[in-house]
């Protein structure tokens, strides 16, 4: 990879390579943009095939956090970190202590949090070396498990998408096909069930399916058949890239709104959804409840304030659909434009002060 070419192309500010021999730490921190504030994004620990794959991943993820934080109305920029290694076997205290010292050395330009392969306990270890970490234990001022908060954001965003598609935000008697019933989507099902939606669920993990059936009376379909279900709303809440050439032709819903990250396999699939008349809720807008939750830790955590902010995702999603109609572009492009307009606006204000 030509690193500086990649950085120039998408205007990354900084990439930091970190290593500590004794603990085996090999990490990369990418800071994409700090126009709106310090870069916040989680630390992912993954056993990448090679170092270039790790670099590509951290670059992609950090840019995504710039857009997510901007679209959520947070005073945060976008950053991300990856630690190369097997999260099941390679973790040790020294690794995360050393990583915390690297974060501390950035003097607040980057704030970390949990991600795939890292846990609340890992954040507690990092906290021993730096205050620039969120998602810690409640004993250290954390908001605790963010899954219910993320789920509530997906729920209100889904209601905004329903209003766009059906003229009402009521989900009563709407058939919602939920792909994956993990921690976030189980809480989402709780909200949907309470409002009277009809739930159809699938998951590769049988106990998760059973839990949804027992709690909500959900209908169950095979994981390979969830795309073919006749429903009002398809909620992808498991893997990424599930909106692709194969699945788009099978979907029987009007709305696509769920918690999964990177739902579009390629951007052109977002164009195809638009052409076919689907109402698509861009993932990084609708699932921003988690980052809103950890951001509030920086202010002195207040759950009521968090939930009020998450309620605002209804308006954020509505604005995405308004921009989509205004500019005659797919909703995923409208979300990008909304984020870019906010960054450009604040950036212009900052420049005016420097004159």
């Amino acid at each position: 990879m030509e690193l500086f070419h990649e950085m120039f192309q998408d205007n990354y500010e900084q990439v930091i390579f970190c290593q500590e021999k004794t603990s085996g730490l090999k990490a990369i921190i990418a800071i994409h943009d700090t126009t709106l504030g310090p870069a916040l994004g989680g630390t992912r620990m993954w056993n990448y095939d090679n170092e270039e794959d790790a670099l590509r991943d951290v670059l992609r993820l950090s840019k995504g956090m710039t857009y997510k934080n901007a679209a959520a109305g947070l005073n945060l920029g976008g950053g991300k970190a990856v630690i190369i290694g097997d999260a099941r076997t390679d973790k040790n205290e020294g690794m995360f202590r050393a990583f915390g010292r690297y974060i501390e050395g950035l003097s607040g330009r980057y704030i970390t949090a949990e991600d795939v392969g890292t846990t609340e306990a890992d954040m507690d270890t990092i906290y021993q070396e730096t205050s620039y970490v969120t998602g810690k234990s409640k004993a250290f001022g954390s908001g605790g498990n963010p899954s219910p908060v993320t789920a509530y954001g997906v729920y209100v965003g889904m209601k905004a998408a329903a209003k766009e598609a059906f003229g009402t935000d009521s989900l009563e008697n709407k058939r919602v096909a939920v792909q994956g019933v993990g921690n976030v989507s189980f809480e989402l099902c709780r909200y949907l069930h309470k409002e009277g939606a009809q739930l159809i669920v699938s998951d590769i993990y049988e106990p998760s399916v059973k839990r949804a059936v027992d709690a909500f009376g959900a209908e169950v379909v095979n994981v390979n058949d969830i795309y073919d279900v006749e429903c009002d709303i398809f909620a992808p809440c498991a893997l990424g890239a599930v909106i692709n050439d194969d699945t788009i032709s099978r979907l029987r819903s009007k709305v696509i709104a769920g918690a999964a990250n990177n739902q579009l396999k390629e951007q052109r699939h977002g164009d195809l959804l638009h052409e076919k008349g689907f109402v698509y809720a861009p993932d990084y807008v609708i699932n921003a409840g988690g980052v809103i939750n950890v951001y509030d830790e920086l202010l002195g955590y207040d759950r009521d304030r968090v939930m009020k902010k998450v309620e605002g995702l209804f308006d954020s999603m509505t604005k995405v659909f308004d921009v989509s109609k205004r500019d005659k572009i797919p909703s995923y492009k409208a979300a990008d434009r909304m984020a870019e307009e906010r960054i450009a606006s604040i950036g212009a204000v900052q420049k005016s002060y420097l004159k």
Side-chain angles (χ1 to χ4, degrees):
M1 180 191 293
E2 295 182 13
L3 178 56
F4 278 104
H5 173 75
E6 295 289 332
M7 292 179 70
F8 289 146
Q9 190 170 28
D10 284 315
N11 204 26
Y12 291 88
E13 293 181 7
Q14 191 173 7
V15 178
I16 304 98
F17 295 85
C18 317
Q19 73 84 26
E20 202 284 315
K21 186 175 181 180
T22 303
S23 66
L25 174 70
K26 292 190 292 183
I28 310 171
I29 302 170
I31 297 173
H32 177 250
D33 188 282
T34 57
T35 301
L36 299 178
L40 185 146
T43 294
R44 174 170 297 189
M45 186 168 183
W46 192 258
N47 200 18
Y48 293 96
D49 289 338
N50 53 66
E51 293 169 5
E52 185 167 323
D53 283 354
L55 179 56
R56 289 191 184 282
D57 201 30
V58 77
L59 291 173
R60 175 182 62 85
L61 292 167
S62 64
K63 181 180 178 182
M65 288 306 302
T66 295
Y67 282 79
K68 174 176 279 194
N69 293 334
L74 302 177
N75 295 321
L76 292 171
K80 206 78 173 183
V82 298
I83 295 175
I84 300 172
D86 190 326
R88 296 167 298 181
T89 59
D90 294 338
K91 286 184 181 181
N92 59 75
E93 180 185 2
M95 173 182 289
F96 287 97
R97 293 284 292 265
F99 184 62
R101 290 193 290 274
Y102 278 108
I103 294 172
E104 178 68 15
L106 293 170
S107 302
R109 280 179 51 77
Y110 171 66
I111 302 167
T112 199
E114 291 177 55
D115 202 282
V116 175
T118 59
T119 66
E120 183 180 280
D122 298 329
M123 298 306 109
D124 287 351
T125 303
I126 291 171
Y127 185 56
Q128 295 183 56
E129 300 291 344
T130 182
S131 61
Y132 302 117
V133 54
T134 60
K136 309 177 295 294
S137 300
K138 280 190 174 183
F140 296 120
S142 165
N145 180 12
S147 294
V149 181
T150 305
Y152 184 63
V154 176
Y155 169 67
V156 298
M158 186 181 289
K159 287 175 72 67
K163 186 173 182 179
E164 179 69 18
F166 309 118
T168 174
D169 68 1
S170 174
L171 300 176
E172 185 176 7
N173 293 321
K174 290 289 188 290
R175 284 175 58 82
V176 184
V178 181
Q179 181 188 43
V181 200
N183 292 332
V184 171
S185 50
F186 183 81
E187 295 299 326
L188 171 63
C189 287
R190 190 189 305 279
Y191 286 114
L192 295 172
H193 177 69
K194 184 176 180 180
E195 190 168 339
Q198 301 173 37
L199 296 170
I200 308 99
V201 301
S202 71
D203 197 295
I204 59 173
Y205 189 53
E206 183 61 32
S208 295
V209 172
K210 185 178 186 304
R211 187 167 68 141
V213 172
D214 292 344
F216 313 121
E219 177 186 339
V220 180
V221 297
N222 185 277
V223 291
N224 296 318
D225 298 331
I226 191 71
Y227 305 105
D228 305 303
V229 169
E230 187 79 43
C231 59
D232 300 293
I233 300 169
F234 173 64
C237 297
L239 302 174
V242 297
I243 307 301
N244 53 53
D245 290 332
D246 174 58
T247 60
I248 289 175
S249 62
R250 296 167 59 190
L251 290 173
R252 311 288 296 280
S253 66
K254 178 66 175 177
V255 173
I256 300 170
N261 288 312
N262 304 313
Q263 294 169 20
L264 302 176
K265 184 173 183 180
E266 299 174 28
Q267 288 192 342
R268 65 182 180 84
H269 294 119
D271 299 328
L272 190 55
L273 291 179
H274 183 68
E275 292 169 10
K276 289 182 172 292
F278 287 95
V279 174
Y280 171 60
D283 46 45
Y284 71 76
V285 180
I286 198 171
N287 68 15
V291 73
I292 291 171
N293 188 68
V294 297
Y295 171 70
D296 202 74
E297 293 179 26
L298 305 175
L299 309 177
Y301 190 79
D302 184 301
R303 185 71 165 210
D304 292 337
R305 181 172 60 202
V306 168
M307 298 308 281
K308 186 68 175 177
K309 181 74 173 176
V310 173
E311 284 179 10
L313 292 178
F314 184 100
D315 294 332
S316 297
M317 194 59 62
T318 299
K319 184 177 180 181
V320 168
F321 297 133
D322 289 344
V323 171
S324 175
K325 289 181 288 189
R326 180 195 74 188
D327 297 348
K328 297 181 175 56
I329 56 176
S331 59
Y332 82 93
K333 288 183 178 178
D336 287 354
R337 188 163 296 179
M338 185 175 77
E340 289 162 356
E341 287 176 354
R342 180 167 181 250
I343 293 168
S345 174
I346 300 303
V349 171
Q350 292 171 345
K351 289 178 182 178
S352 70
Y353 278 106
L354 296 174
K355 290 181 179 178

